[in-house]
Each structure stands twice: as C-alpha cells, then as structure tokens.
Amino acid sequence: MNLADLNKIARAMVAPGKGVLAADESGGTIKKRFDAIGVESTEDSRRDYREMMFRSQQAMSNYISGVILYDETIWQNAADGTPLVRLIEQAGAIPGIKVDEGTQALPGCPGELVTVGLDKLAERLAKYYERGARFAKWRAVIDINQASHIPSMTAIHVNAHALARYAALCQQAQIVPIVEPEVLMDGDHDIDRCVEVTTRVLNKTFQELRIQRVELEGMILKPNMAISGKKSKTQASVAEVAEKTVRMLKACVPAAVPGIAFLSGGQSDEDATAHLDAMNRIGGLPWPLTFSYGRALQAAPQKAWSGRSENVAAGQQAFTHRARMNSLASKGEWTAAQETQKAA
Ligand code: 5MM
C-alpha cells in the first residue's frame, strides 16, 4: 500500500468547495426513484440519467470531487460509446464504486441487518481499480427502535467489523475506502438518542478500524448527522443539529482522518444544505466537512429530467444548482437567499 497516494486521493475527495455525488443506487433503489417520476428503469434509462449528470460540466468540474458508481454503471458506456468513468475523469472528478452487496437479516437479532459483500472482495477491487475506481464505499445500516431495544451491541459490532474488513481490503488494493456507518433517521427518537447511538457506532467503528490496521490517513468517513428521527415530535433546529453533530464528531473521529463527507439520509434538499453550512460556520475543526449526498443532490434533477431527452438541460441545471448550494455550504458560505438565484 502506498499511503501517501491514498491520502492524496482522500484529500482530493474533500477539496475545498467540493463533495461527492452518491449515484450508486442499486437496481431496486433506482427503480423506486424512477417509479416516483414515472420512468421505466431499464439499462438504457439508467445510463441516460447518469450520463446527464456526468455531462453537467459546471457541476462536475467545480463542485463534485468524485462519484460513487454502482457495478452496472462502472461498466457502462455513454450513448456515444465513451465509458462513463471517462466522462467523470474528463470533468476532473474521481470515479468511485459501491462494493457492498446490500444487507441481510442478522441472525439472533430480530429486525436488525448486517451488510454483506466481503466474499471475493479483493478480486472485485482489483477489477474496479483497473477500470478507474480510486475510492470505494460500503454502507452499514443501523436502525433505532426504542420499543424493540434496537440497536443491539451485536449489530453495531458485526457491522463495524465488516466495515473495517472492507476498508483494510480497499487500502491493500490502493483504493480509498469511504466508511459509511449510517444510523437511520426513520424512527420517533429525539436528537439526543441519535447522538447516543451514533457515538456508540462511531467509537466501535474506529476501534475495529484500528484493530484491523486501517490507516486513518487513507480513508474518508461518511456518517449521518445528529438529527431528530423523522417521526419524533420534537424536531431539532438547524443550530442544534450543527452544534450536536460537531460536538459528537470531535469526540469520536480522530484528526488523522482526512475528511468527513455526510450522507443526507432522507433530509429535505434544503435541510441537508443548511445543516452542512451551519456546521462549517462553527469552524475550527480538524477535518473538512463536506457532502456525499445521494437523494439531496438528485431529487431535483430527477424531477426536472423525468426521463425526457428534451429535459436534459433542465435536469443538468437542477443538478448544478444543488451541487453549487452544497459547495457553498461546505465552505460555510450558503444562505437561503441563494436558493432562488440562478446557478453561476
Ligand atoms: C445513492 O444511494 C446509495 C445506495 O443505496 P442502496 O444500496 O440502498 O441502493 C446509498 O448508500 C447512499 O450512497 C447513501 O445512503 C447516501 O445517500 P443519501 O440519499 O442518504 O444522501
């Protein structure tokens, strides 16, 4: 492993004003997104949609540092025959790849999941590297359900162990691992319960990363923010989310980590931007804080595009706008008023 090179890629992924586009929806998830806009999910429609984003020159060159791809996408070519990975590289961004293979029920822990995909991962990583991937992503999913006493320590432990196994294999393959332990915001818990669970998850994850000799300088952390559950009666303010998230991360994430790129987790587009902005306004942090959003970057362009070739420009404009808003937020320079200004 060449740690200096891994660190260089990791720092480029969180370069000032830039963040990562999570376009790694699996077949089932992209179908759900397309169903919502009345588009049939086919190999071609998925390609057309993603090609539209990757050809958004403004967004890709100025605000997007890297793109997380799904296995199908990394092998796909644009309509003119150019590999989609080349489009990303030509725009100056870094191609990445989701390498987990989804979740399975965790035996002995009703209602809990473990992320799978370690089998033959070393071989798959070698092929992805050859194709151009320089970073990867693995997402662990931790639910909070107060009535069922979820999450269990077992779920936290096995998921952290798998994340660390994955990260070690990535570094060995000269690929930067994005380590994504996601605590879901689906429940009725308040923000303090989210902080409590996320703290346990992050502490366990870093413990496993150390045990498995993962070099922290050669990875990126992709966490959830400290946030109220969607069904909670009390919704924390933007200032509270920012303050509690920063405090939690400072307590759990070593300064050696080159950067933190948040998931959006089902927040509205503008909430995800406002929260990131408020955190960056606090300042004085040991790592850059940026975005690695899926839904909060793509909901608007998906709607604007709606599967019609005549809407490609509108889709690109919507994507560029969200990417620019989040770029501003990653520098603590976003204001709500900018939401209504045209993309520069
Ligand atoms: C883009 O969605 C990713 C893939 O999800 P599935 O494997 O469930 O299809 C997802 O991992 C995503 O990268 C992260 O959750 C961040 O996306 P959000 O929408 O939470 O910002």
Side-chain angles (χ1 to χ4, degrees), residues 24 26 29 98 100-106 109-116 137-145 150-152 154-160 162-163 179-186 197-198 201 205 222 224 263 265 295:
D24 58 316
S26 53
T29 303
K98 182 236 287 298
D100 68 66
E101 295 179 325
T103 53
Q104 284 181 1
L106 180 61
C109 298
E112 298 194 276
L113 301 168
V114 59
T115 301
V116 297
K137 191 199 89 175
W138 178 290
R139 172 171 167 251
V141 183
I142 302 290
D143 202 4
I144 300 180
N145 183 323
I150 284 174
S152 65
T154 310
I156 293 175
H157 188 171
V158 296
N159 276 293
L163 272 167
V179 173
E180 181 181 3
E182 175 173 6
V183 177
L184 299 175
M185 60 177 285
D186 295 338
V197 172
T198 307
V201 168
T205 301
K222 177 166 172 170
N224 53 284
L263 58 92
R295 283 162 287 181

